[in-house]
Amino acid sequence: MVGQMIFTGLLCGALLGFVMQRGRFCLTGGFRDMFLAKDYRMFYALLIAIAIQSIGVFALIQMGLIQFKSGSFAWLGTIIGSFVFGIGIVLAGGCATGTWYRAGEGLIGSWIALFAYMLMSAVMKSGVLVPVNEAFKGYTVPTNSIPATFGTSVWPFILILTAITLYLVVKHLRKPKVAIPALRAKRTGLAHLLFEKRWHPFVTAILVGLIAMLAWPLSEATGRMSGLGITTPSANILQYMVTGDSEKYINWGVFLVLGILIGSFIAAKASREFRFRAPDAKTTISSFSGGILMGFGASLAGGCSIGNGLVMTAMMTWQGWVSLSFIILGTWTASYFVYVRPRLQAKKQHSASVTVA
């Protein structure tokens, strides 16, 4: 069982890290671009991954191969935590999974954000902030499942999601394309496709959705009744390092996140994108602060942009879709203060100086 847990966890994580690194599957950038550039490609890609996982996982549930219980909906913690998490990922320069795979590329700033994220997640789950975490999660409604709320099957909701996703994707693909100059290929065949050619976000999303679906039976086979998850496993690593309690803290999810690091490193090295890059003082402070907010928010919300925004949305829960909405809102709020407001102030100051002159 232990060998199976290590092998399948690392394998699934490595696949995810490899695909995300090569496909630049960055939800932080995607949510930010929705606000700054009105570019919805990454959001549509996320919907593709959600729809594929939803269809696959609920098919597995109907076949009796896996189990899932949506539980109750801790609405207050989900709303506040997701909003804070959204702010944090802008400051950190990447979401939870993005921080793991960028750490595999050699970004020191991502290592700093990752450490802060792990630290705060552990403090929220087993440290001095446990009472705060539990207090917010005390505000719940008994039903988390959207279909159960309406007393119907999950499949109409999956059908609606799939139809909306297909409509948005087809509409986007029909838009006139802007020709982007490409560098001359230095590789051929499979090496070119895997490590040199730019991956389309929608192709990456299909692969992410399939990996997310695969995570469910692999995880449940080891006794962990869940799919992809980043926050709790990240906290578990630090908790294990402090306590040495492998039975309590080492599970399939821990090897999943370690696998993301490995897969990203392999992809970055093979595509010649790996290099150590040290941040300046301002970026260091921003990365650490963002990591702290990510750990606090994700713990409060019961998941990050993957655990809630990809997995719990696919499971058609209120927690997933409410969390995704407030993560996006938090990202937009931070983007305004980090990107838009400074530009407006600089433009205003420039106009004033020109007028005076």
Side-chain angles (χ1 to χ4, degrees):
M1 179 67 77
V2 174
Q4 177 185 353
M5 177 177 69
I6 295 172
F7 176 74
T8 60
L10 288 176
L11 175 63
C12 190
L15 289 173
L16 185 63
F18 186 96
V19 168
M20 284 190 153
Q21 196 283 331
R22 290 301 303 127
R24 313 310 300 174
F25 196 81
C26 177
L27 296 180
T28 304
F31 297 158
R32 182 189 62 217
D33 290 346
M34 290 168 65
F35 176 66
L36 297 178
K38 309 305 178 189
D39 183 351
Y40 294 86
R41 279 185 308 166
M42 190 55 66
F43 179 69
Y44 297 161
L46 176 61
L47 291 181
I48 292 171
I50 292 171
I52 288 174
Q53 181 186 188
S54 192
I55 293 169
V57 172
F58 277 105
L60 292 174
I61 291 172
Q62 282 205 335
M63 289 186 285
L65 298 177
I66 62 173
Q67 301 176 27
F68 172 73
K69 292 183 179 179
S70 59
S72 59
F73 174 35
W75 60 273
L76 185 60
T78 299
I79 290 172
I80 295 177
S82 299
F83 184 77
V84 171
F85 180 82
I87 294 173
I89 63 177
V90 173
L91 296 178
C95 64
T97 317
T99 302
W100 271 102
Y101 89 66
R102 282 181 170 148
E105 295 177 341
L107 271 69
I108 306 301
S110 292
W111 280 101
I112 294 169
L114 182 59
F115 172 75
Y117 168 59
M118 294 167 66
L119 176 64
M120 180 53 73
S121 298
V123 170
M124 287 288 287
K125 294 178 181 297
S126 60
V128 295
L129 292 181
V130 168
V132 176
N133 200 9
E134 292 179 348
F136 276 96
K137 291 184 177 180
Y139 294 88
T140 64
V141 292
T143 304
N144 192 18
S145 168
I146 296 175
T149 300
F150 294 98
T152 185
S153 166
V154 71
W155 290 104
F157 292 93
I158 295 177
L159 180 62
I160 292 170
L161 170 63
T162 304
I164 292 173
T165 301
L166 286 173
Y167 169 76
L168 293 173
V169 168
V170 171
K171 183 180 178 181
H172 175 80
L173 292 175
R174 285 180 175 175
K175 286 183 178 180
K177 301 295 185 296
V178 178
I180 301 176
L183 296 174
R184 183 178 178 181
K186 296 180 180 179
R187 303 182 185 185
T188 58
L190 189 61
H192 171 68
L193 293 175
L194 287 179
F195 304 116
E196 189 176 35
K197 183 178 175 60
R198 184 182 180 89
W199 290 22
H200 194 285
F202 296 169
V203 174
T204 304
I206 292 171
L207 296 175
V208 169
L210 292 173
I211 294 169
M213 181 181 68
L214 176 67
W216 282 91
L218 293 181
S219 177
E220 292 202 4
T222 66
R224 178 180 175 272
M225 311 303 284
S226 185
L228 294 179
I230 309 299
T231 302
T232 298
S234 298
N236 287 160
I237 293 173
L238 201 57
Q239 289 167 316
Y240 168 70
M241 292 173 66
V242 172
T243 67
D245 191 342
S246 60
E247 185 175 346
K248 185 176 182 180
Y249 294 118
I250 299 300
N251 54 45
W252 188 88
V254 167
F255 295 103
L256 169 76
V257 294
L258 293 176
I260 293 173
L261 191 70
I262 295 170
S264 172
F265 172 75
I266 293 171
K269 285 292 288 184
S271 60
R272 298 165 188 163
E273 294 177 355
F274 178 87
R275 64 182 182 276
F276 289 111
R277 286 157 282 183
D280 56 24
K282 182 180 178 181
T283 303
T284 298
I285 295 172
S286 179
S287 296
F288 186 82
S289 302
I292 291 293
L293 292 177
M294 284 168 57
F296 178 85
S299 299
L300 208 60
C304 61
S305 48
I306 293 296
N308 277 342
L310 174 62
V311 176
M312 293 302 281
T313 48
M315 304 316 293
M316 294 298 160
T317 64
W318 292 111
Q319 177 180 323
W321 289 102
V322 170
S323 177
L324 178 60
S325 301
F326 278 90
I327 289 174
I328 293 174
L329 184 59
T331 304
W332 289 358
T333 301
S335 295
Y336 172 79
F337 286 101
V338 172
Y339 302 108
V340 177
R341 192 164 178 258
R343 281 206 305 260
L344 293 175
Q345 289 177 334
K347 186 177 180 180
K348 186 177 180 180
Q349 290 173 357
H350 176 73
S351 300
S353 62
V354 170
T355 303
V356 171

